[in-house]
Every structure is written in structure tokens, then in C-alpha cells.
Amino acid sequence: MVLCVARTFLLPLKVGKRHDRPATYSAKLRNFFGNALILLYFYIMLFAEVLLPVPIMGSFTYRVPAEMEGSLQVGHRVIVPFGRRKSYTGIVSALTPIEPKGYEIKEIAMKIDDSPIVRHPQMKFWQWVADYYLCTPGDVMKAAVPAGLKIESETFISPVAGWEEDAADRLSVRETALLEALLATGERKVTLDSLGRKTGLTTVGPAVNSLLARGAVMISENLVERYHPRTEVYVSIAADRGDSARLHEMFDSVRKGSRQEAALLTLIELSGFMRQALEKPLEVTRSRLMERSGVTSTVVAAMAKKGLVNIYKKVVGRFSFTGTVTGELPALTDAQKEALDAIHKSWLSNAITLLHGVTSSGKTELYIHLIDYVMRGGRQVLFLVPEIALTTQLTGRLQRVFGDKVVVYHSKFSDSERVETWRRLLASGEPCVVIGARSSVFLPFSSIGLVIVDEEHEPAYKQQDPAPRYNARDAAIVLASMHGAKTLLGSATPSVETYWKALSGRFGLVELTQRFGGMSLPRMELVDMTEARKKGEVTGIFSSVTRRTIDAALAEGHQAIIFLNRRGYAPVARCKQCGYVPKCDKCDVSLTYHRRFDKLVCHYCGTPYPVPEVCPACKEPGIEVLGYGTERIEEEVEGFFPDATMLRMDLDTTRSKDGYDRIIDDFSAGKAQILVGTQMVTKGLDFANVTVVSVANADAIINFPDFRSSERAFNMLEQVAGRAGRKNGEGLVTVQTYSPSHPLFRFLLAHDYRGFYGHEIAERERYCYPPFVRVIYIYIKHKDPSRVGVVAGELASRLRQLLGNRVNGPEEPSVARVQTFYIRRIMLKIETNASISKVKDLLRNVRIELTNSGKLSGATVYCDVDPV
Ligand code: ADP
Ligand code: ZN
């Protein structure tokens, strides 16, 4: 409908030629320097474009000072003056001989690193992300680089305590002046500019630079101090191995039966000091020595003082793996072998392949074979997972095969750890496999051979807020193509878009239809809650069917998972007298009751509120809480299954770094029989002993007012079902719902992905949704409830003039106010064969136009490309 009308109109849009830029570029060049000078292009890079962490479009160009010419490279961090008296740290994104016109050019103040911290291809990738997702490269930089390597705010210089001038290498007059000025201020942090003013020197950059190189000053503690490499203390015997006389002497000097003697003996044993077969003694950490010999660090220190042992420190990697590496690849079943061959075959003609394998079919085992294959070829592998919780099991499985070639990267790691990973990848192009959440697409890979996107259908791959609002799956595909690498998308329930591309031949398609070990897919049982309630079979949230199945599983020594996609105790509070519902002051959201803190909490902005004693509306003490969250289920489970131990996995129980690991390890080890959780328990986890999965409230999943809700619900339910019956006994899944006739369930009960896909793709086509169009949302946020509508209306009508009925809205989203901002949304539906870059240019221009005419004033406007 919309499509057909729009198509003729759109043709003029399809001009977007990518090549017009370089052409004008070289034409300009010729004008400036004449043909002959073009040869010098590569030598005279007098200007640098610098990415800065500021929310402003456009790039910032600075002059390269003479002393940096030839040494400054793309990817170097530099400090530059910005605005009237600020300095920022940014990253050089391009070098050029052309002087930009129209404004005064400032000079780069200093270069921070000896070598670039970002590789050239990475920059290209950042630029793609910025272009495609309609944000600034500065936004991308902020998301890409670990905090320890960047500066969010102003850059400061501070003196390094205890630094002393080297007698052989004196400071220059300028350097001395600067250092003295710095020390004289007594402040910890001084900006470059104020240093200039204090010393009366016009350019302080070069001198500060050399002070920096000598270790006399440091830049903004955020930058340098934040990164602490991890060190470990070691102890060794203070004697040569051949020198037995010395060894005798040592034993003579300690009392018989003393702790020092015990420590000495243990150290000899642990280090293999007497084992001639060893080329040199093994290194022993102080903590291991203390543990094994039962002595304290004071004893070790005393021994060092006596000259019996040496104590030394060493920087160690945070990821050195200490378990056993078997190096053995899993033996594959015939079906898996066939699939592996099919993938290799697909690689001959496809850059991207979809592995559609039912839950527990052994996709991960195939990945392991492919990773091995690619690493043997000397290249790197990026293994994306949608959820940090999934890295735990996966890391263990991969480390047993690949040892410390496995690198893990996600936001639960400390900044130092992330910097360490970054530097490790930067320093070497060694083959390795990086397991990571979405931000790992930004790591400094040198040569990727394969990108695996596991659970490719997962909405968690899309970053919602802040910009860049990128989908790591799609970005990873682009990243792979920039490296000339293959992409393997894996899922038991591929996204509708991906499956459509696979069926239409744009992606290769490989299928695994059998579970490993001949296990069958779990039996699904719908529980009609209206019916059950009528029969009096519902107590609390559980129907008697659900309770019986869980009981039966526990009786056989098996485990159960209960899934509910709401955390907290109860999702709604309400006054039973007048029906008043407490809402967040800043968001248009009702509050969730959390029993642990006895507070009402906004799940959009996190603000906690006390539970009102009396209703603010009718002044009666009538506030009660309704509905179920994971916290409340936990309580009911305790009542129903008093003999079972239970674990809960949701955002609230996994805030600490090891939160996931602990829960997953304990549940795997059988320390608990029931796991209650939100979305986190639906994905890719592999627990051998789980036979029953219960979906407590399917209605909370299927009733969403957006075009992806069916897909999301099908995927989520099929995935959570997939946790049941993976190894021991047939799985059973009970799904509690008040709408058992929903079309989704027909496909779900039969595990009929194809059927579901057929139904869904027809709907998408009929109503003009992806993959038949591209969707871009434009969000307008404003603090003023009346202005927000006006601004959104202006923007929509201007866009309509240019894009016709591709523009829908503005509408109020279901949550129309968040963190004090009122929100409107415009939806663009763009035909897939139209030039998307043309549309984006147009969007940018309209925005500039309306900003300049003041029509957007006070409003925040941003785009969400390919929303999920
Ligand atoms: P998926 O990733 O498709 O859900 P997994 O790779 O996790 O499936 O496999 C499911 C379970 O079956 C895992 O515990 C795995 O170790 C086991 N498994 C799969 N294939 C094999 C194999 N070829 N040999 C031994 N165990 C296997
Ligand atoms: Zn709020």
C-alpha cells in the first residue's frame, strides 16, 4: 500500500553515488598544489582531523606542529585546545595536506602515545557506524574505547610525585619553568591553558610533551592512573641450583621444625629446584607458597631479609588461564559433520552463512571446530554473544580447547581489564578468539577471519541508549567484510529478517534439525489459566499442573527453571479504594514494588520511592501491590517446594561482576534445584539436569503493541523451552496463559519455526514492515509537554514534503515520558531498494535547516535506525 504509491516518487532518490567525494577531493588538491605536488600528498600532512568526545556533528581540524610532522599517525591520541579555554583529548581520525577554510585553525597541543591506540581499519569501521546509525564519530569513539584510554571531560596536567631530574639529562629552561609553575599551583589538576597563562609562555605543548615522556608530569588521572596492570609477587630460592654448599648453609641457618624451614622446603618442592630435568626452576607465587606451607607473609619477608629467598614482582595478564587445556576438539556426530562440511562449502560462495540449528543440536561444538580452523590459518575470531551471562559457560568450554588464546571482553570487566585486552590486541595480531558482548566489535583486531554471532535473533544486540544505537550483529557483518572475513550467524530461532535473507539466497543456509544424543525437543503444554482458575486450580501464580510437573521433576532428582520476564516483587501498586496508581515523577511509568528494599522503583530511571502509607489521592490507607515479579515468585516457590533450594537470576541479583558466574556455577553443580529468572535464563545456557521449564506468565510476553512482538515472543518461548531436556530425560515445558488461542501457540507447541516464519513474513509484507522496508524512528524529546507536540509536528510535516507517505506519525510511544522528557516518535518506512544514504543526507539537512530556523529549540532529536 504505502509502498506502491511511494515507489515512483522515490526514484530520484536513488542517485547516491559514493564516488563523488573522492573526485572533488582530488580536484581540490589539483587546484591547491598543482599536479606535481600531488606526489607530496603522502609526505606533507599538515592538518589532522581529530575525533572529540563532544556531541557536535562535523569534524575538528587542527594544525600539526612541526615537531610532530612525520610521526603523527591516524589513531594517535592528542590533546587539543577546544572552545575558549578548554583542552580535550581526542583521537586523530585523518591526516590531510589541505587547510580547511573559514575558521581559524588551532594547533595540536601534544601527542600522548608513542604509537596509535586505534588501528586504521577500526577508524573506517567507526565512520561506517556513525554514517549508518546517524550519529557522530565522537559518539562511536565514546562507545568504542574503554574509559581508561579516553577522556570524557577536560584534560588536566599534574606533576608526578617524587619525580627527580636526571643529572645526566637536564630539563630545558622552558620545561623547568613549566614544572615549577605546576608545582607552585599546589593543585592536582591544571589545564594546559592555565599553565600557559601562569608561565606566560604561548606554546606549552612541546615542553609538556617532553616532561610527559620523562615521567615528570601526567595527564588527567582518568587517563593514566586509571589503568593499573595487575602484578603478582613471586618468591625464589636465593641460591644457584648447582651450589649445594649454599643450600646446606641455608638450612643450617634456620631452626629445625621452624616455619622458615617449612617454607624453604615447600619452596624447593614447588619450584622443582632439585629436579634436574627442569631447565630452570618453576616460578612460585608468594600466595601459593604461603598457602602450601602455612606461613604468613611476615615469615617470607624475614627470610628475604636473611638472604634465603628473593621476592620479586611481575606484571601478569588478567586472563592467564590456569586450568587444564586439552587442546582436543570435540568429536562430531554424523549430522554435525555434515553441517560442518556444509558451512565450509557455503563459505566458498557466501560471505555470510546462517546456521539454523535447534536448541542443543551442538552449534557450539561446530563453532569450536570452525574457530580452530580459522586460528590455524593465523587469523582472529570474534565470537559475539548477546548477554554477558552467556560468556561464563562458553569461556570454560573454549578455554579447555584453546587455553589462553581465549579473550573475554564485556562491560562487567573493570576498566583496567578492558584496557589490558585492548592493548593485548593492539600489540599483537596473534590468532585468538574474543568472546564478547556487543562492544567487542570495536576492539583493535588486526586480522579477523571469522565472526560468529550466536543467538543472532537477540534484541540485546541492539544498543538503545545512548548513541551509537547500533546493532552489533549487523555492525559485525560489516566489520567482517572489511576484514575479508566470513560471518556465521547462529540461532535456533533466526530473526525473520535473517531467515528471509537466507531463503532468498543472500546468506548461505545450513541446518541442524536434531538435538545431540538423540534427545527429543521438549514437550510443550499450554495451561489455560482462565479455565484453571474456574476449576479452583490456581494458587498464587501457579496452576496445579505447573506445580505437579515441577514436583515430579524434583522427585526424580532433576532441576526446574521458572521464567518470568519481570523483576522486582510486584509490577503494579494501586489504591484499592480509589484505583489510584503511583507513577514515577519523571517518567510515564507505574512503579514496581521491590520487597527487599521495601520501595517502589521506576524501571525506566531507577528512582526509588517510599510506599505511601495512605493513598495520595483519597487519603485512605489503601495502597496494595498487584501482579508478580521474580522476587515474589521466589517467595511462593519457597512455600510450594519447601525442600528445594532456589536461585534467582535477574538484573538485581547479577549486579556484581561475578553475579552470573556464581549463580550459573551453583545451579550447574546442583546446589539448587530451582532457578527463577528473567530473560537471562532463556538464552543459550546449557544445564544438563534441567527437565522442566515453566513459563509463569506468557501474556506478559505476547501482548506488546509493536510489529516485532510476535517474533520476540516466539523466540523467547522457544529459547526458554530449549533449556529443558538437554541431557537427562525428556523435557517438559508448561506455559501459563490467559490467551491460549493466540496464533503463536500453534507453532510453538509443534516447535514449528518454519510455520511461524511463514505466518509472520506474510504479516510483515501485508503491513509493510521489515524486511520489506527499512524503519527509522525519529525521537523528539522536550521538557515542555505542549512544545513537544509542536516540534514533532513541524518536523513531520517538513519531512512529509520531502518523503511523502513514507512518514508516519508523530505518535506518542507507549511510555511517553522518561526522565522528565516528553517523547514523540516519527516513523519512516523506506523501501529497501531506495538509496538509504540519500534519505539520511536528507534527514541531516532537514535537521540543520530546522535547527537554524530555531524550530527545534529546546528539543532533543535523534534517530534510531533499524529499531528492534
Ligand atoms: P547448542 O549450542 O546448539 O544449543 P550445544 O553445542 O550447547 O548446543 O550442545 C548441547 C549439549 O550437547 C552440550 O552439553 C554439548 O556439550 C553436547 N554435545 C553436542 N555435540 C556434542 C558432541 N559432538 N560430542 C559431545 N557432546 C556434544
Ligand atoms: Zn522514572
Side-chain angles (χ1 to χ4, degrees):
M1 32 172 236
V2 185
L3 254 176
C4 320
V5 192
R7 199 154 270 159
T8 39
F9 169 85
L10 200 84
L11 287 172
L13 277 174
K14 291 176 67 181
V15 280
K17 270 252 165 59
R18 282 275 159 122
H19 309 293
D20 48 353
R21 236 184 118 204
T24 50
Y25 198 63
S26 63
K28 255 193 204 162
L29 253 179
R30 249 174 242 124
N31 291 344
F32 267 78
F33 299 101
N35 273 333
L37 283 180
I38 291 181
L39 277 179
L40 285 175
Y41 174 88
F42 293 103
Y43 302 100
I44 318 173
M45 294 301 187
L46 297 178
F47 303 94
E49 281 179 22
V50 178
L51 291 182
L52 294 175
V54 292
I56 302 175
M57 282 280 179
S59 60
F60 303 92
T61 306
Y62 290 87
R63 190 182 302 281
V64 178
E67 75 273 10
M68 283 180 219
E69 260 172 51
S71 72
L72 190 71
Q73 295 171 42
V74 167
H76 264 130
R77 283 180 302 173
V78 289
I79 296 179
V80 294
F82 188 81
R84 284 195 42 220
R85 45 179 47 176
K86 280 188 178 159
S87 307
Y88 278 110
T89 302
I91 298 178
V92 177
S93 63
L95 291 164
T96 160
I98 301 170
E99 177 164 7
K101 293 278 168 219
Y103 56 93
E104 181 214 349
I105 302 241
K106 294 181 183 168
E107 194 160 86
I108 292 176
M110 63 165 52
K111 185 177 88 180
I112 297 176
D113 314 282
D114 291 334
S115 52
I117 63 142
V118 181
R119 291 174 191 266
H120 224 296
Q122 261 181 296
M123 283 286 177
K124 228 173 84 194
F125 179 60
W126 291 7
Q127 189 59 52
W128 178 85
V129 173
D131 284 346
Y132 188 83
Y133 292 104
L134 291 166
C135 61
T136 67
D139 287 331
V140 183
M141 175 180 78
K142 276 209 256 180
V145 180
L149 288 176
K150 71 184 173 210
I151 299 264
E152 293 279 358
S153 52
E154 270 189 273
T155 304
F156 303 100
I157 315 288
S158 49
V160 170
W163 181 84
E164 277 174 32
E165 193 174 343
D166 190 340
D169 185 14
R170 297 248 157 227
L171 294 182
S172 72
V173 178
R174 216 171 235 268
E175 287 163 357
T176 311
L178 280 178
L179 195 56
E180 277 173 2
L182 207 52
L183 290 167
T185 60
E187 292 167 37
R188 294 249 326 121
K189 294 168 163 185
V190 182
T191 65
L192 268 188
D193 298 83
S194 70
L195 204 54
R197 283 195 302 278
K198 286 193 171 86
T199 53
L201 298 171
T202 42
T203 46
V204 295
V208 173
N209 215 349
S210 71
L211 285 174
L212 189 72
R214 292 158 177 258
V217 300
M218 60 191 179
I219 295 169
S220 185
E221 67 195 302
N222 315 1
L223 190 78
V224 182
E225 278 181 45
R226 235 196 254 164
Y227 172 62
H228 299 289
R230 207 181 88 183
T231 56
E232 184 84 75
V233 179
Y234 288 84
V235 186
S236 66
I237 306 252
D240 285 335
R241 285 171 91 190
D243 193 351
S244 54
R246 170 79 190 117
L247 214 54
H248 278 289
E249 227 177 86
M250 281 161 79
F251 275 102
D252 288 342
S253 74
V254 296
R255 239 182 330 108
K256 282 238 156 338
S258 69
R259 282 176 301 174
Q260 293 198 359
E261 185 190 46
L264 211 50
L265 284 167
T266 311
L267 186 56
I268 285 173
E269 187 208 316
L270 289 178
S271 62
F273 194 78
M274 311 298 266
R275 295 216 318 261
Q276 295 307 326
L278 287 177
E279 205 178 298
K280 56 179 190 215
L282 303 170
E283 293 197 289
V284 179
T285 64
R286 183 175 59 187
S287 54
R288 179 128 182 270
L289 175 63
M290 284 158 53
E291 189 191 301
R292 287 287 289 272
S293 62
V295 306
T296 60
S297 58
T298 331
V299 174
V300 182
M303 291 167 75
K305 212 163 166 201
K306 259 165 103 174
L308 301 178
V309 297
N310 295 320
I311 297 179
Y312 59 100
K313 256 191 196 174
K314 233 172 87 169
V315 174
V316 293
R318 275 164 222 269
F319 303 112
S320 42
F321 176 64
T322 47
T324 338
V325 182
T326 64
E328 271 168 37
L329 295 178
L332 298 182
T333 63
D334 287 344
Q336 290 169 346
K337 269 188 212 140
E338 246 173 66
L340 187 67
D341 289 344
I343 292 171
H344 280 294
K345 209 162 143 222
S346 168
W347 281 359
L348 298 176
S349 50
N350 297 294
I352 304 158
T353 302
L354 168 65
L355 172 60
H356 179 203
V358 297
T359 53
S360 202
S361 55
K363 293 186 289 298
T364 313
E365 311 286 321
L366 288 189
Y367 299 152
I368 292 174
H369 277 259
L370 294 166
I371 292 167
D372 181 65
Y373 173 82
V374 172
M375 292 211 300
R376 272 174 205 283
R379 299 181 75 184
Q380 300 166 323
V381 180
L382 169 60
F383 191 145
L384 283 179
V385 291
E387 177 96 49
I388 297 170
L390 285 180
T391 56
T392 308
Q393 289 191 339
L394 196 60
T395 307
R397 271 169 92 171
L398 262 58
Q399 278 177 332
R400 280 190 285 282
V401 183
F402 303 114
D404 51 19
K405 292 209 182 76
V406 180
V407 177
V408 192
Y409 190 80
H410 56 65
S411 60
K412 289 261 154 129
F413 283 109
S414 73
D415 204 47
S416 292
E417 289 166 320
R418 278 186 281 166
V419 172
E420 183 166 326
T421 303
W422 187 281
R423 292 211 180 270
R424 173 173 168 183
L425 285 169
L426 200 59
S428 92
E430 51 164 351
C432 61
V433 48
V434 176
I435 304 176
R438 57 180 181 238
S439 64
S440 47
V441 295
F442 295 116
L443 283 167
F445 297 103
S446 59
S447 159
I448 301 180
L450 171 64
V451 174
I452 296 168
V453 185
D454 197 21
E455 316 287 351
E456 68 82 29
H457 60 276
E458 266 297 327
Y461 279 123
K462 180 81 201 267
Q463 172 152 318
Q464 303 292 357
D465 252 325
R469 296 177 175 81
Y470 66 107
N471 187 320
R473 174 197 60 198
D474 301 336
I477 289 175
V478 172
L479 179 69
S481 85
M482 286 179 174
H483 282 260
K486 299 295 176 196
T487 304
L488 184 66
L489 307 175
S491 178
T493 53
S495 67
V496 169
E497 278 117 313
T498 297
Y499 205 64
W500 183 74
K501 285 177 189 159
L503 291 186
S504 63
R506 288 163 65 192
F507 295 175
L509 175 62
V510 174
E511 291 178 307
L512 261 179
T513 51
Q514 294 301 315
R515 280 190 149 187
F516 172 73
M519 302 307 301
S520 48
L521 284 166
R523 196 153 55 79
M524 305 274 277
E525 205 170 294
L526 274 191
V527 183
D528 180 341
M529 291 298 275
T530 319
E531 196 66 15
R533 223 172 251 290
K534 262 191 222 148
K535 291 192 198 146
E537 289 177 353
V538 179
T539 321
I541 194 173
F542 292 117
S543 65
S544 51
V545 177
T546 300
R547 284 203 313 272
R548 271 201 310 275
T549 47
I550 295 178
D551 263 332
L554 299 185
E556 290 191 28
H558 292 150
Q559 292 168 300
I561 291 180
I562 300 170
F563 164 52
L564 180 70
N565 64 337
R566 280 177 177 154
R567 64 192 172 92
Y569 187 82
V572 186
R574 194 175 66 188
C575 172
K576 59 174 173 259
Q577 308 294 341
C578 71
Y580 167 86
V581 174
K583 286 193 165 186
C584 177
D585 291 344
K586 303 176 197 129
C587 313
D588 177 19
V589 173
S590 59
L591 301 171
T592 299
Y593 177 64
H594 282 247
R595 164 152 280 180
R596 238 191 76 211
F597 329 105
D598 190 26
K599 287 258 164 31
L600 296 170
V601 179
C602 171
H603 280 187
Y604 272 75
C605 69
T607 309
Y609 298 83
V611 185
E613 305 227 326
V614 296
C615 170
C618 69
K619 312 293 179 226
E620 293 287 326
I623 298 285
E624 59 178 359
V625 296
L626 304 166
Y628 280 82
T630 44
E631 226 186 358
R632 186 162 185 188
I633 293 226
E634 182 173 18
E635 195 179 273
E636 286 201 348
V637 164
E638 271 160 18
F640 284 129
F641 312 103
D643 299 332
T645 312
M646 197 207 51
L647 288 167
R648 174 158 65 95
M649 184 154 85
D650 57 29
L651 199 65
D652 300 310
T653 60
T654 54
R655 290 194 197 276
S656 71
K657 181 183 162 198
D658 307 321
Y660 301 107
D661 297 20
R662 227 187 31 246
I663 296 169
I664 291 170
D665 287 350
D666 285 359
F667 196 61
S668 293
K671 289 188 191 159
Q673 289 73 51
I674 299 179
L675 176 65
V676 175
T678 53
Q679 284 83 300
M680 285 178 193
V681 301
T682 66
K683 302 167 190 176
L685 293 170
D686 187 26
F687 299 115
N689 200 24
V690 171
T691 53
V692 166
V693 166
S694 290
V695 179
N697 180 2
D699 306 288
I701 303 165
I702 57 185
N703 297 325
F704 266 105
D706 81 86
F707 72 92
R708 278 187 216 272
S709 69
S710 297
E711 177 181 2
R712 203 162 35 223
F714 182 87
N715 290 350
M716 210 182 255
L717 293 172
E718 185 65 38
Q719 289 287 343
V720 71
R723 301 314 111 213
R726 290 170 76 88
K727 291 266 169 69
N728 302 328
E730 197 200 9
L732 178 61
V733 182
T734 58
V735 180
Q736 304 193 145
T737 177
Y738 285 92
S739 31
S741 56
H742 195 289
L744 197 73
F745 290 124
R746 187 159 43 99
F747 304 115
L748 202 61
L749 295 192
H751 298 290
D752 181 9
Y753 173 80
R754 271 288 186 118
F756 166 75
Y757 168 80
H759 174 83
E760 183 65 19
I761 198 84
E763 298 271 298
R764 298 279 182 96
E765 185 156 27
R766 183 168 328 127
Y767 298 108
C768 249
Y769 278 112
F772 300 99
V773 290
R774 284 169 185 278
V775 171
I776 299 177
Y777 284 139
I778 304 168
Y779 285 92
I780 301 95
K781 294 189 172 179
H782 207 294
K783 291 222 171 185
D784 180 339
S786 57
R787 284 290 300 155
V788 71
V790 177
V791 173
E794 290 268 3
L795 184 56
S797 67
R798 182 71 187 107
L799 287 171
R800 263 197 193 93
Q801 289 168 357
L802 299 161
L803 289 166
N805 53 10
R806 293 182 198 86
V807 183
N808 301 267
E811 56 163 10
E812 271 188 42
S814 55
V815 176
R817 185 172 179 243
V818 172
Q819 294 190 316
T820 73
F821 283 94
Y822 295 88
I823 307 170
R824 291 292 185 280
R825 188 171 74 188
I826 297 170
M827 176 162 66
L828 301 186
K829 285 180 174 178
I830 313 292
E831 306 85 306
T832 41
N833 60 354
S835 158
I836 193 79
S837 57
K838 201 76 189 164
V839 173
K840 287 175 181 168
D841 284 346
L842 187 146
L843 279 178
R844 281 192 200 97
N845 293 340
V846 166
R847 200 159 150 188
I848 293 170
E849 175 194 317
L850 294 187
T851 307
N852 290 346
S853 63
K855 290 197 168 129
L856 298 184
S857 84
T860 306
V861 177
Y862 65 82
C863 294
D864 186 3
V865 179
D866 300 340
V868 296

